[in-house]
Amino acid sequence: MKLRTLLMGAIASTALAPMVMADGHEGERGRDGEVKIIYWQAPSILNPYLSSGTKDIESASLVLEPMGRYDETGALVPFLAESIPTVENGGVSADLKSITWKLQEGLLWSDGTPVTSADLKFTADYCMNPEGGCAQLAKFEGVNSVDIVDDLTVTVNFSEPKPNPYGPFMGGQSPILQAAQFADCTGAKAPECTEANFNPIGTGPFTVTEFRPNDVIQMAANENFRHEGKPAFATLTFKGGGDAVAAGRAVMETGEYDYAWNMQLAPDVLAKMAEAGKGKPIAAFGTLVERIEINMTNPSPDLPEGERSTVKHPHPFLSDVRVRKAMSMAIDRELLVEVGYGQAGRPTCNLVPAPALYASDNTECLTQDIAGANALLDSTGWVDSDGDGVRDKDGVKMSILYQTSTNAVRQDFQALIKDWWSQIGIETELRNIDGSVYFGGDPGSPDTFQKFYADVEMYANNFDGTDPESYLAQRTCDKMPSPETQWQGENINRFCDPVYDALVAGLGQTGELAKRGEIAKKLNDMLTKESHSMLPLVDRGRVSAASVTLGGVVLNTWDSELWNVADWYRIK
């Protein structure tokens, strides 16, 4: 009961109980000294257009900002923009084919130069460059051009009516880059610009003073930040690496750090840490789904380097939908929730679990069926011909490599799922990779989740805001990571279906909410219920931890967790 009360109390409110306006929350910039943040997955780059890892996107959000963000309720709020464009205020055209963004007057980059519409246009061109690979390309789905109106204004033009025009420049995944800094970093050159990618000039509350990839970032208050008296902290230390246990202890037990992200810990472990009284867990449900991606292509190291995990070579048995469905049927999702998340998790069959408008009523995966999975695999012709417990056909064993990041809960999941798959004749080798590397965007590394040099892999991510259009658009055929895109792209499992692509285009042109919901549910079901190209496991409440002396924190499941760091302060 104690654990249930702790977690449900946290989930009921996205803000820490003591985090109310207190004496000393106003004053001079930098008045509260240092704030220390720890992410157990260390950032490897500070350019979110070159990484889809949450740890990179969120650390970069301290420096780089979009025109608008989503607040803790999912509402659109202006950041660099003067206001959020709508049809009502004339910012979105009546035919829904354009949106016009206007910068606030007087905005400065951290180097003291003015922010202009040229920076917005450059950012769009940077991501849409056909010679490069942009991790956030889905944000620019349907964009025909970005035109400069004046020094502060741009118009984004869409090829078709766009009822949801808030892809470009909206949310932590689509911030503005300084054109002057990145001018020579476009296309294939983008990953080579180390200085710009590690030390971006931004408009956010902090600037980078030192960045050691996969280790620590030192930051200082941005003296050109647009809000007087903010941030309250003069310096910020962003420590990366280690594990969730160490990060949780550093906030809730020792008080060494002020904020710890992604407390992916067993419920009893989390509750025990909170007893020390130095910090509290904060939690809220959003759209974060722990899932297994199934590689539709062949990751065999026997293939040439440029052809592994590419569409040139379909997977020898995972390309059969019956095999993928059987693997899903063998999993007991209720037990996974009990073991890994308790009240902070819910079993799910959906990639998009919320909001309700877009959540499919798909529940067929929630009942484990080992016998049914074996019967389905029998129908494929894969049988255990030599009695070793592993199905085979034509000299090929049904043997897979299952990888994920290093984390106690994920390793528990791996062990359970390996056992269930062994009961249906699938041999499974387990591998775990340091999260800083696994979720990094290094095109030279063989261990990133984008490269997917394994048969199945597990992770979780979510989308900005409450509308899943851009998120679902990540799964179109043209978003597959490959050597040609420097291994960037969010179509991780290389699923490709022209029908799916056409539905994504249709969603982009549909304005009626009920119809948008219908299309989104169909897209979700194509990925999960029909193709089984991914196996959703747990709808995870986002759980982090904050010091009881840290004020102003508001947990946000619809944008970067660090979205309002400029409002943080030390409770005296």
Side-chain angles (χ1 to χ4, degrees), residues 269-335:
V269 174
L270 195 63
K272 183 66 176 176
M273 288 181 181
E275 291 178 357
K278 298 283 189 179
K280 293 185 178 182
I282 52 176
F285 278 102
T287 57
L288 186 65
V289 172
E290 190 78 13
R291 61 183 179 272
I292 291 173
E293 300 275 355
I294 297 183
N295 201 338
M296 309 290 278
T297 62
N298 194 343
S300 172
D302 296 334
L303 295 171
E305 173 60 22
E307 298 183 13
R308 293 179 67 184
S309 290
T310 67
V311 292
K312 294 180 181 179
H313 301 281
H315 197 282
F317 54 87
L318 294 180
S319 53
D320 187 331
V321 66
R322 295 170 296 177
V323 174
R324 302 193 298 269
K325 182 176 181 179
M327 293 169 72
S328 180
M329 294 168 65
I331 296 172
D332 184 346
R333 290 163 173 82
E334 293 278 2
L335 183 57

Side-chain angles (χ1 to χ4, degrees), residues 409-487:
V409 171
R410 284 187 169 140
Q411 271 68 82
D412 287 345
F413 276 27
Q414 282 185 304
L416 287 167
I417 293 169
K418 174 180 179 176
D419 179 64
W420 293 326
W421 284 345
S422 73
Q423 296 178 46
I424 61 172
I426 298 176
E427 180 180 55
T428 307
E429 176 187 351
L430 303 180
R431 183 179 185 224
N432 65 82
I433 303 165
D434 181 89
S436 304
V437 176
Y438 184 59
F439 294 111
D442 182 0
S445 172
D447 298 323
T448 64
F449 78 126
Q450 297 101 326
K451 241 175 192 178
F452 203 173
Y453 283 176
D455 301 283
V456 300
E457 65 182 9
M458 183 169 63
Y459 65 94
N461 66 5
N462 61 343
F463 53 91
D464 282 346
T466 58
D467 190 297
E469 180 184 331
S470 294
Y471 193 56
L472 292 167
Q474 293 173 352
R475 300 291 171 159
T476 57
C477 298
D478 63 333
K479 308 295 193 316
M480 287 186 255
S482 68
E484 292 73 29
T485 65
Q486 290 81 53
W487 295 103

Side-chain angles (χ1 to χ4, degrees), residues 1 72 79 102 140 175 222 231 288 335 397 423 428 454 461 547 559:
M1 181 60 67
E72 74 276 15
F79 260 59
K102 185 172 184 178
F140 295 86
N222 176 6
L288 186 65
L335 183 57
K397 289 282 188 182
Q423 296 178 46
T428 307
N461 66 5
S547 167
D559 207 311

Side-chain angles (χ1 to χ4, degrees), residues 175-187:
I176 311 305
L177 301 179
Q178 188 193 59
Q181 184 181 31
F182 285 86
D184 297 324
C185 303
T186 59

Side-chain angles (χ1 to χ4, degrees), residues 21-44:
M21 304 308 273
D23 290 343
H25 74 274
E26 294 179 349
E28 294 183 0
R29 177 175 292 146
R31 62 193 173 277
D32 287 338
E34 181 184 26
V35 63
K36 300 178 72 175
I37 297 171
I38 184 166
Y39 274 43
W40 54 270
Q41 295 171 11
S44 55

